[in-house]
């Protein structure tokens, strides 16, 4: 069984439910080490005291906040935990909202929430089923690994799922990031119609298993090829941007290709 990365209680009105948090996702790309080019010498990183040059154990490191004038306020982990809500063990529900009301840009990372004890089963199921019946998500906060998180908790089948969210002030204004966002552009009715047809012809149900990380596959093939002193075919370059003058022609060609691919799939089916 996987090991919980956080444990605490959900505060639901006057009800407290022991819960444990588990990672819902995992990375699968190859693990690389760093070497000096032209050698087999590994690159290592050390925590070094900049004054003495001595290596420092992780347990002897504290955090320092710059307060100006070259002065720092030093804080150890116990001091940081002492001011955390619920001493870092509280998952505090603030309100319930419609999940569809949350803009996807706020979603950060997904975790599974499990009951923290046998006695927690009944209140856990009660909260899970009540949220499912109401089609609501709980908005909560928790402190984990020295950071406070905003979170959305939702029912998903027989479990509760926690999605960490970005705070509002962590979302950038796109107009501050992109100088040349297009405003109104004159589009012909034919271009709109063909674009709509193309979207329709390429539409289908969401099936996550239909997709995989092909870049990681190619990296693994490259590693295996170099291991056996073989060559690997380079990937194709990205297509050039469509010329505005050729937009209609590109849409017509795309529609024809999409229809041909759809017919081929129907034949196989």
């Amino acid at each position: 069984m996987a090991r919980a990365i956080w444990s605490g209680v959900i505060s639901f009105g006057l009800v407290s439910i022991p819960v444990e948090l588990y990672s819902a996702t995992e990375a699968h790309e190859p693990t690389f080490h760093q070497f000096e080019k032209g050698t087999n010498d590994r690159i290592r990183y050390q925590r070094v005291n900049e004054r003495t040059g001595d290596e420092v154990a992780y347990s002897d490191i504290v955090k320092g906040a710059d307060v100006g004038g070259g002065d720092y306020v030093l804080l150890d982990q116990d001091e940081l935990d002492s001011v955390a809500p619920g001493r870092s063990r509280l998952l505090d529900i603030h309100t319930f909202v419609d999940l569809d009301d949350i803009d996807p840009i706020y979603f950060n990372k997904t975790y599974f929430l499990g009951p923290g004890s046998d006695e927690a089963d009944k209140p856990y199921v009660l909260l899970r089923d009540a949220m499912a019946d109401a089609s609501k998500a709980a908005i909560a906060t928790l402190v984990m690994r020295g950071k406070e998180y905003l979170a959305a908790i939702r029912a998903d089948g027989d479990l509760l799922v926690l999605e960490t969210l970005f705070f509002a002030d962590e979302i950038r204004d796109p107009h501050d990031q992109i100088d040349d966002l297009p405003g109104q552009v004159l589009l012909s009715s034919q271009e709109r119609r063909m674009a709509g047809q193309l979207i329709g012809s390429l539409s289908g149900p969401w099936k996550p298993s239909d997709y995989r990380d092909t870049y990681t596959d190619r990296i693994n093939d490259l590693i295996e090829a170099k291991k056996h002193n073989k060559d690997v075919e380079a990937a194709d370059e990205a297509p050039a941007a469509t010329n505005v003058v050729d937009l209609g022609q590109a849409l017509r060609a795309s529609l024809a290709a999409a229809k041909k691919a759809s017919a081929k799939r129907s034949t196989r089916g």
Side-chain angles (χ1 to χ4, degrees), residues 232-253:
V232 172
E233 183 180 352
D236 295 332
E237 295 286 347
T242 301
N243 190 305
V244 175
V245 177
D246 301 327
L247 182 57
Q249 182 180 346
L251 285 168
R252 281 188 289 272

